[in-house]
Amino acid sequence: PAEARNHAIKQSHSKWLYFIDDDSWVESDYFQKAEKYILELSHSAAFGGPDLTPTGSTEFQSAIGKTLTSPLATASTRYRHKSQISKGKLFEECDEKKLILCNLWLNRETLEKYHLLFPSELQRNEENLLLFQLTKHGESLFYIEELQVFHQRSDKLKEVFRKSWLSGFHRMKSFLA
């Protein structure tokens, strides 16, 4: 997956690149909302918003979505899966723990400036290492609550365990990197 994304980055001539998963979708006004942040945050490295469990999900899928927002299950990355900005803020500076690849805007020019791409040795969580590297270079990342995607949750327990194991395994690899 990282190689495919890197190929797209290299082929693009656009300043901003948007990544969304094939099992995610946005509301009809999403890109109109994103346009104002593209202008306002034009010098930032990346921004994105939460991935939410869609209305109408099965009881099991809703339980998985609820679990993803729990500090016991996902610790500091729980913020990726729920809306949490308070006090009327439109956006806030963040680190890689609040951004998720299924709803991520990357500034291609910033990536080129530091010769950064998604690390191809990781099969999951590769955005975490890339975003961490951007912050190490002093670049800014922003979480924007209103830029929400709806992400279809797994409806099979075996698939949930497989994804969780892979995520944890590759999170450790990215941590060590």
Side-chain angles (χ1 to χ4, degrees), residues 2-172:
E3 283 301 319
R5 284 188 277 278
N6 291 337
H7 178 73
I9 291 168
K10 291 173 187 175
Q11 298 301 311
S12 176
H13 299 290
S14 175
K15 178 176 179 174
W16 287 99
L17 306 169
Y18 180 59
F19 295 91
I20 185 169
D21 282 6
D22 61 349
D23 58 352
S24 300
W25 62 92
V26 299
E27 293 180 323
S28 60
D29 63 345
Y30 178 91
F31 292 101
Q32 292 164 326
K33 291 175 184 176
E35 186 175 23
K36 70 181 175 186
Y37 296 107
I38 287 172
L39 297 172
E40 192 166 346
L41 301 172
S42 65
H43 296 294
S44 65
F47 64 86
D51 80 320
L52 305 176
T53 303
T55 305
S57 294
T58 66
E59 192 172 330
F60 183 75
Q61 290 168 320
S62 296
I64 295 302
K66 194 75 150 165
T67 301
L68 288 172
T69 66
S70 167
L72 295 174
T74 54
S76 59
T77 62
R78 70 186 181 276
Y79 299 111
R80 297 174 179 170
H81 309 291
K82 63 180 182 177
S83 298
Q84 81 275 350
I85 291 180
S86 59
K87 301 178 186 171
K89 290 189 216 175
L90 293 177
F91 58 87
E92 65 183 9
E93 196 162 356
C94 66
D95 60 17
E96 85 282 352
K97 293 177 187 132
K98 281 195 177 177
L99 298 179
I100 189 164
L101 187 54
C102 71
N103 187 15
L104 183 64
W105 290 85
L106 286 174
N107 184 326
R108 184 187 52 79
E109 294 171 356
T110 304
L111 295 177
E112 287 178 355
K113 177 180 174 182
Y114 301 110
H115 308 286
L116 292 174
L117 292 169
F118 288 99
S120 58
E121 67 274 12
L122 299 177
Q123 297 298 309
R124 291 185 69 89
N125 305 100
E126 58 268 31
E127 79 276 17
N128 298 314
L129 183 53
L130 178 63
L131 294 169
F132 177 78
Q133 290 170 328
L134 286 167
T135 58
K136 282 295 186 190
H137 286 291
E139 296 293 338
S140 298
L141 315 175
F142 290 91
Y143 173 87
I144 303 168
E145 182 175 20
E146 75 172 325
L147 293 182
Q148 302 170 348
V149 301
F150 298 97
H151 197 166
Q152 190 71 41
R153 307 298 181 205
S154 296
D155 60 355
K156 295 181 175 96
L157 188 58
K158 184 177 178 180
E159 185 64 19
V160 170
F161 281 118
R162 186 183 82 68
K163 286 180 177 181
S164 296
W165 187 89
L166 286 171
S167 184
F169 177 79
H170 288 285
R171 185 74 160 149
M172 183 54 66

